[in-house]
Amino acid sequence: MTQWNLGNSNIRQQKPGRSDGYYEIGANLDTYLDLIAHELKLKIINASKLIGESSINLKLDTDTSSYILKIDPWVGVLKTSKVFFDLVNQNVPNAPTPKIIAYDDSKIVIPYEFILLNYIDHSKPELLENTHKFEAGRLLGEVFKDIHKVDVDGYGSPQGDNQWQFNNWKDFIKHYLSDPCSQESNNILTAKDIAKVKDLVDKLEEIPPKLLHADIGMQNTLYTLQNDKLQLVGLIDPDTLGGDPYWDLAIALKENDDFGKGFAQGYWNNEKNDYINDKKLQTLILVQLIWIIGWRKVSGYSEGHYKNYFETLIKEFN
């Protein structure tokens, strides 16, 4: 076995709040990488870990190419990525996505799904200062105008041949609010405010499902920065594929920052300047905030910024 020194037996203590599978992958990473490299006949000369909150991500270098390897403990997550990349490549050629080199959900090579993508050269995120956030969002919003025109066959994520997670949009939202991270927010937000959000969700109208990304942010978008000019070069790590396009907008806007404002401008091209007063959009932002507040709490991050924004928004409905 090659000694990559990537495995981390202390990962559970260093990154609390992740799944048992995440910790198991992290602890056995050297073994899994060797097995995958043997199966795909990759002659790896260098391997390095990348940041990943729910999956384990590696950058792999060979003599001729570089790749991204993602190993995910959650069933179906990487299938979602595969379907998203395939649909975007087929329908939105101006949207840059990585090329799929290999995808395996057999759990024969290793006991988890994995996907190998070509590496997209990009500027390091730390080089993109706050002054670039608005433009980064605007470029992404322009692309998602076209992505949201793509029809899909169901709500949530694909489960198999012509099978989807949910039959309607409200069931997806209610499931999202029942997630353990959302439930954690019961200990942070008032019962009255959470009940109000659930009441607003009940009033949402059903819509035909469109293609979503559902984890929009600078952390899941690749850019190059040359001579202070920003260029969008990659969309990565989608989460949920079918639903209301406003869900992606709510995710972009939940940070209440320049990135979200830029996304809205690129998406609507100044045709909807009062978007923040849209009640459906506000409702979906509130749903997003309930989840992110709980997730940040269990993951050991401060939730104060998001709690303050939630409390400001919910006042619009009280």
Side-chain angles (χ1 to χ4, degrees):
M1 186 178 78
T2 306
Q3 295 299 314
W4 299 109
N5 295 318
L6 296 170
N8 181 358
S9 60
N10 297 317
I11 190 170
R12 187 180 293 270
Q13 290 74 35
Q14 294 171 359
K15 301 192 80 171
R18 275 61 173 186
S19 67
D20 288 340
Y22 182 94
Y23 299 133
E24 202 275 338
I25 295 168
N28 296 281
L29 201 48
D30 286 26
T31 300
Y32 290 166
L33 178 55
D34 274 346
L35 291 169
I36 292 170
H38 177 76
E39 175 70 16
L40 300 181
K41 298 178 172 58
L42 286 176
K43 295 182 179 180
I44 302 168
I45 60 175
N46 185 59
S48 56
K49 281 191 286 190
L50 304 174
I51 294 173
E53 293 294 349
S54 59
S55 62
I56 301 291
N57 306 322
L58 301 176
K59 181 176 182 285
L60 309 179
D61 299 311
T62 68
D63 284 333
T64 57
S65 301
S66 294
Y67 305 96
I68 297 296
L69 174 66
K70 299 176 68 67
I71 306 173
D72 202 289
W74 299 103
V75 175
V77 169
L78 297 182
K79 179 181 177 63
T80 294
S81 291
K82 181 181 184 301
V83 173
F84 178 83
F85 295 147
D86 287 343
L87 286 172
V88 171
N89 286 331
Q90 293 165 14
N91 295 281
V92 193
N94 66 313
T97 56
K99 179 182 178 182
I100 300 171
I101 308 300
Y103 166 71
D104 190 298
D105 62 351
S106 68
K107 300 185 181 179
I108 295 173
V109 181
I110 63 171
Y112 298 96
E113 294 177 67
F114 65 88
I115 192 168
L116 187 71
L117 308 167
N118 73 301
Y119 175 77
I120 298 175
D121 193 27
H122 60 283
S123 298
K124 293 181 179 180
E126 55 265 28
L127 296 179
L128 305 180
E129 301 176 1
N130 287 336
T131 53
H132 300 113
K133 275 191 171 184
F134 185 89
E135 179 65 3
R138 189 189 67 78
L139 291 171
L140 195 60
E142 287 183 342
V143 168
F144 269 88
K145 282 189 298 187
D146 294 324
I147 290 177
H148 285 161
K149 295 174 183 176
V150 179
D151 295 320
V152 295
D153 296 326
Y155 300 88
S157 297
Q159 303 294 292
D161 293 339
N162 300 317
Q163 298 294 316
W164 284 73
Q165 197 175 10
F166 298 99
N167 293 321
N168 63 71
W169 179 234
K170 275 193 279 195
D171 281 353
F172 166 79
I173 298 296
K174 291 176 181 178
H175 175 79
Y176 195 82
L177 286 171
S178 69
D179 181 271
C181 289
S182 296
Q183 292 298 305
E184 179 65 25
S185 287
N186 291 332
N187 301 318
I188 303 168
L189 304 172
T190 70
K192 176 184 175 183
D193 285 347
I194 290 177
K196 182 62 180 180
V197 173
K198 291 180 178 180
D199 180 61
L200 292 169
V201 168
D202 284 335
K203 297 174 182 176
L204 290 173
E205 294 182 0
E206 291 293 338
I207 54 91
K210 299 293 184 178
L211 181 60
L212 306 180
H213 181 282
D215 201 6
I216 285 174
M218 290 186 70
Q219 77 280 6
N220 289 330
T221 315
L222 306 178
Y223 301 91
T224 57
L225 180 63
Q226 293 182 335
N227 299 321
D228 209 38
K229 180 175 176 57
L230 204 62
Q231 181 177 354
L232 175 65
V233 295
L235 306 178
I236 59 173
D237 294 350
D239 182 82
T240 296
L241 298 192
D244 188 334
Y246 268 47
W247 187 243
D248 275 344
L249 286 149
I251 292 168
L253 289 164
K254 75 178 185 301
E255 303 289 337
N256 195 27
D257 63 0
D258 285 343
F259 176 85
K261 294 172 185 175
F263 187 92
Q265 185 182 85
Y267 192 87
W268 279 306
N269 194 27
N270 292 323
E271 295 173 1
K272 190 176 175 65
N273 293 323
D274 63 341
Y275 63 85
I276 201 58
N277 295 318
D278 187 294
K279 295 305 180 185
K280 179 172 77 167
L281 183 57
Q282 287 180 331
T283 297
L284 295 178
I285 293 173
L286 287 166
V287 172
Q288 278 289 320
L289 289 170
I290 288 175
W291 186 90
I292 196 68
I293 288 167
W295 180 84
R296 291 185 70 87
K297 183 69 174 180
V298 300
S299 300
Y301 301 125
S302 171
E303 74 279 4
H305 166 75
Y306 300 92
K307 180 175 181 288
N308 291 339
Y309 188 32
F310 178 92
E311 291 171 346
T312 298
L313 270 185
I314 198 68
K315 288 177 182 177
E316 300 290 329
F317 296 95
N318 292 330

